[in-house]
Amino acid sequence: MSQQGYVAAPPYSQAQPGMGGYQGGFGTGLAQPLHGHYGGPPQAFTAPTTGKGLLLFISVVRMRQGLEQLQQVCTHQIVLLHFTSYRNCLASGPMQSPPLPASSVAQQPFQTPPPSAMGQPQMPPVLQSPHMSPHMSPQMSPPQSPPANMQMAGQPMSGPPMSGPPIAGPPMTGMGRPFPGPPAPGARGFQQPGPGVVGPPGYPQQAGMPGAFPGAPGGLAGPPQKKLDPDSIPSITQVIEDDQGKQGGTVYKTNVRGQVPPLVTTDFTVQDQGNASPRFIRCTTYSLPCTADLAKQCQVPLASIIKPFASLQKNETPLYVVNHGETGPIRCNRCKAYMCPYMQFIDGGRRYQCGFCNCVNEVPVFYFQHLDHMGQRVDFYERPELSLGSYEFVATLDYCKNNKPPNPPAYIFMIDVSYNNIKSGLVKLICDELKTLLENLPSEEGMESSAIKVGFVTYNKVLHFYNVKSALAQPQMMVVSDTAEMFVPLLDGFLNNVTCQLSHDPVPLLSSLLDQIPDMFADTNESETVFVPVIQAGVEAFKAAECSGKLFIFHSSMPTAEAPGKLKNRDDKKLVNTEKEKTLFQPQKGVYEQLSKDCVAQGCCVDLFLFPSQYMDIATMADVPSHTGGSVYKYNNFQVETDGEHFLRDLRKDVRKSIGFDAIMRVRTSTGFRATEFFGAIHMNNTTDVEMAAVDCDKAITVEFKHDDALSEETGALMQCALLYTTINGQRRLRIHNLSLNCSLQLSELFKSCETDSLINFFSKSACRAILNQPLKNVREILVNQTAHMLACYRKNCASPSAASQLILPDAMKVFPVYVNSLMKTAPLVGSTELSTDDRAHQRLAIMGMGVEDTQLLLYPRLTPLHNMDVSSEALPAPVRCSEERLTDSGMFLLENGHSMFLWLGQASPPDLIQSIFNLPSLAHLQGNMCALPELDNPLSIKVRSIINGLIEKRPNSMKLQIVRQKDKPEMLFRQFLVEDKGLHGGASYMDFLCYVHREIRQLLT
Ligand SMILES: [Zn+2]
């Protein structure tokens, strides 16, 4: 085959021994030789003591007698006890199946088939310059003369005189609104340096109050100034509405290089014509600066946000699967880029030039095709890899661990059965749900049943494994009480195909087991739990079964039992706003760090469902999920009645998500620039390979690019994201997303092609990473400085000359400041002792995995008036700006940000409205803890519930509906999401922030 004696490198050339690089990382020392040899004298029985007599208990204890190295027998002691009679059934049945032999296949790097044929030239797909949108310059208006319409383009208006009267200062008393709840003490906004102060602004500093600009002249002491008209500053809701009006309902074709797609909030259909859909890849700008100097000058980050498994709309075509046969996908010899629309066929189709590295490759014989008179292959439209931006390749054995086809993935449900979870009814809730949930496991399109195998573990201080092999008469339980070195006491029977179980068993063992689990532990007093051994058990189970998969862990307390990964309470609010605040976000190292690596190496994704009643060190506990493509769900003070449905919705969504396992991603670029930084729920073992134990349809990886060399306006810039993964059916695939961008020597082109929603995604993730290592104060400072710098650069280089007092913003970035301001008010970044450390850590980790839609919505929640909508219309009512000023006393508003959802009711809500929605005579009758609306048969009720249910269905997380009345205490929770106002926990109002940024810009320009 190899005509040139070409020795291929692995697909991801930097494979390293150890893990992840598919060299030595997989299949090393599979099951430890000690496992599976059970025998010896029975140990103390450690199983629970109640039940229905259907279950066998087996206690497996590892002895540490130094014999292990000499003798591989008798290292585990097993007691098989019948539940009711304590009948010993030593080491029979499942106990005797040894684990699979240790890795018997030599580690081999992936190999690439050599090229084998000659061809002729061909033109790449036609790429055009993007359509230019007209330059727009919304400006600040002076307090005395607000412009009639800020959305009018190109009319500079004078801004507030920054050295003159102070910006409308915050009122001195709390939030300036009567609230039964406590004001937020100690919260800090940022401080503005006084006039003439040069250098970095000194915010946030002490002595501030929420949202204050203490440094502004008179800002603290002076009386509030006449307010600027809030309608005069750029509005996100307006931008969203305009784009929806312009591009909503249209078909977006991806055949134009550097084309800026519609906003994430706009409803449009994508037709792939050679570039990846914006659902898969979005960029901070679609026109890269040609040189590193220009990039440095404008400080606009060059980044892509890649969501490899993004859900498509129903009317969009799913990805085609391409099979290049046993030699695997065709790739460039030099840079390893996969066959794509950017390969230019030459020499009559016998050769092709790589668009990424310019290497000329021979076309394999089987792939040869003639070119037409335009130089295009005549099979252009028949081959997805030549004409589309996104498609999949069937991966050959070279792309599989140990050169063996993978097994289908497995899901293991691991339930904390300690006292709290039993008492709250959580365990029963989970077990009941699993019975139906397991019948709906995801399956490959076109397949009847799911190939996913499932297993069950319960745990507190010890772990209980369940054998539900269908040949058994009853489920068996095995207890592992030595958690120091975790192992799985059974292989055969632990992971099963549930579809068969549920439908074919006369008395399904699985249902029987799920019925029994809550009863078995009903009398437990055990409140201590382990955590690391639980994940280790999952990894070991996958290792033994030679598969990847996901662990669903339902856990409620900090793991304090004596075991690896035991944690101590290290929460310390005194660290907030100090240099050491970062330690609150840093995970404990050691065993947790190693665990993440082990999980990634095995393709073991960890999803955590947490039910805390107090601090549990989420920074550490969520470390493994955040490196394995997992999700963390948190239900504070969980109660089945009020939170049960919310949790179950999340669980159902999570289990059914489309997902790929054991994934490794590489982003290749054309010459001149390259990917340098990666942000996401990922693991990086080297500088280029993004490893994810799993990646689901909601996870996005943000990739930053840097220049290596100058880019050419003519050829533009190309990127190819290749994701190698295992499908839920156990097939190895390569998912390819290609995107071409423009390059320009004009900064105005870059600013025109910016996408604010993507920019803020990048800034959110980079800031959330930075707070691990830097004081929050610095991070916020950098955010503001960079914002000011970008806008100043635009002003200096792209805007027509105008008075310095005018704030001129690039049209594509005109609402960027409101997002940045909102970002600084998020829990992780705000630096408030009012917020729980766990909540902050949780949100920080969540942001790291978010796509553009999610950060957009998180930072600018949707506030929708529902009291005056047209109930006969299909359309959703238009949202209003996120500010208290938009609320009305007689109104009803829905607010959601993808994580929280509120129905807010004005104190003067008319009785007929309350009657229609709640079937109550007045607002005063409303109970505080309602979390769902009653199903009433009137048009308003039906419409409101349909809107709420639609949003819950649409978002990655299901949200719990919270109903708040104006001026009630819980309204505080709601008000923190009104991001245009001053932050409850600190942070400026949008208006004040914009004035501050303007001031910074003016300093930069002088
Ligand atoms: Zn190449």
Side-chain angles (χ1 to χ4, degrees), residues 147-286:
N149 183 357
M150 279 310 296
Q151 299 309 319
M152 283 170 53
Q155 292 182 14
M157 283 162 286
S158 58
M162 297 306 289
S163 54
I167 299 157
M172 293 301 292
T173 51
M175 277 64 64
R177 278 173 281 267
F179 248 111
R188 289 164 186 90
F190 51 71
Q191 289 186 335
Q192 188 181 24
V197 174
V198 186
Y203 73 93
Q205 295 289 338
Q206 308 301 319
M209 46 197 219
F213 291 92
L220 268 179
Q225 296 294 301
K226 190 164 76 174
K227 276 199 155 183
L228 297 177
D229 177 4
D231 283 332
S232 68
I233 55 177
S235 156
I236 289 182
T237 52
Q238 191 62 51
V239 167
I240 289 174
E241 207 177 310
D242 289 349
D243 197 65
Q244 175 67 33
K246 203 169 82 191
Q247 311 200 65
T250 59
V251 174
Y252 176 76
K253 294 176 182 171
T254 68
N255 57 342
V256 181
R257 185 178 88 188
Q259 180 179 220
V260 183
L263 297 181
V264 279
T265 45
T266 296
D267 181 24
F268 62 102
T269 303
V270 183
Q271 199 178 82
D272 186 339
Q273 292 195 356
N275 283 292
S277 161
R279 305 197 200 287
F280 295 123
I281 309 183
R282 282 185 175 264
C283 300
T284 54
T285 178
Y286 294 81

Side-chain angles (χ1 to χ4, degrees), residues 339-354:
M339 181 51 67
C340 69
Y342 313 138
M343 302 302 185
Q344 189 177 354
F345 287 83
I346 52 174
D347 197 10
R350 284 187 290 273
R351 295 193 296 161
Y352 68 93
Q353 183 167 23
C354 174

Side-chain angles (χ1 to χ4, degrees), residues 331-338 343 352-361 668-669:
R331 310 174 66 178
C332 169
N333 282 336
R334 187 193 289 163
C335 73
K336 303 292 162 205
Y338 294 85
M343 302 302 185
Y352 68 93
Q353 183 167 23
C354 174
F356 297 90
C357 71
N358 297 322
C359 174
V360 173
N361 297 271
R668 291 183 172 80
T669 48

Side-chain angles (χ1 to χ4, degrees), residues 49-365:
T49 53
T50 60
K52 285 180 175 168
L54 272 177
L55 209 66
L56 287 173
F57 286 97
I58 303 159
S59 175
V60 186
V61 182
R62 175 192 292 271
M63 288 169 63
R64 286 188 229 139
Q65 295 163 334
L67 290 172
E68 291 166 336
Q69 289 169 354
L70 298 171
Q71 192 182 357
Q72 296 189 353
V73 192
C74 294
T75 50
H76 301 127
Q77 300 177 7
I78 299 138
V79 192
L80 287 182
L81 293 166
H82 190 272
F83 191 64
T84 45
S85 65
Y86 296 103
R87 170 167 51 113
N88 282 357
C89 0
L90 260 173
S92 65
M95 304 311 300
Q96 289 195 332
S97 50
L100 299 175
S103 59
S104 53
V105 184
Q107 309 300 314
Q108 288 182 13
F110 295 135
Q111 294 191 343
T112 309
S116 55
M118 307 293 283
Q120 288 152 20
Q122 155 159 0
M123 296 296 291
V126 179
L127 300 169
Q128 302 160 9
S129 289
H131 173 72
M132 309 296 180
S133 59
H135 162 94
M136 272 174 92
S137 310
Q139 281 99 27
M140 292 289 296
S141 64
Q144 64 274 24
S145 59
N149 183 357
M150 279 310 296
Q151 299 309 319
M152 283 170 53
Q155 292 182 14
M157 283 162 286
S158 58
M162 297 306 289
S163 54
I167 299 157
M172 293 301 292
T173 51
M175 277 64 64
R177 278 173 281 267
F179 248 111
R188 289 164 186 90
F190 51 71
Q191 289 186 335
Q192 188 181 24
V197 174
V198 186
Y203 73 93
Q205 295 289 338
Q206 308 301 319
M209 46 197 219
F213 291 92
L220 268 179
Q225 296 294 301
K226 190 164 76 174
K227 276 199 155 183
L228 297 177
D229 177 4
D231 283 332
S232 68
I233 55 177
S235 156
I236 289 182
T237 52
Q238 191 62 51
V239 167
I240 289 174
E241 207 177 310
D242 289 349
D243 197 65
Q244 175 67 33
K246 203 169 82 191
Q247 311 200 65
T250 59
V251 174
Y252 176 76
K253 294 176 182 171
T254 68
N255 57 342
V256 181
R257 185 178 88 188
Q259 180 179 220
V260 183
L263 297 181
V264 279
T265 45
T266 296
D267 181 24
F268 62 102
T269 303
V270 183
Q271 199 178 82
D272 186 339
Q273 292 195 356
N275 283 292
S277 161
R279 305 197 200 287
F280 295 123
I281 309 183
R282 282 185 175 264
C283 300
T284 54
T285 178
Y286 294 81
S287 179
L288 302 181
C290 278
T291 65
D293 280 350
L294 273 178
K296 195 178 168 192
Q297 192 186 339
C298 67
Q299 287 201 11
V300 174
L302 310 177
S304 291
I305 297 91
I306 304 172
K307 208 191 234 187
F309 279 93
S311 306
L312 298 177
Q313 287 196 346
K314 285 197 180 73
N315 52 353
E316 293 172 352
T317 317
L319 300 198
Y320 291 95
V321 180
V322 179
N323 193 343
H324 281 178
E326 58 186 22
T327 51
I330 296 171
R331 310 174 66 178
C332 169
N333 282 336
R334 187 193 289 163
C335 73
K336 303 292 162 205
Y338 294 85
M339 181 51 67
C340 69
Y342 313 138
M343 302 302 185
Q344 189 177 354
F345 287 83
I346 52 174
D347 197 10
R350 284 187 290 273
R351 295 193 296 161
Y352 68 93
Q353 183 167 23
C354 174
F356 297 90
C357 71
N358 297 322
C359 174
V360 173
N361 297 271
E362 290 180 15
V363 173
V365 172

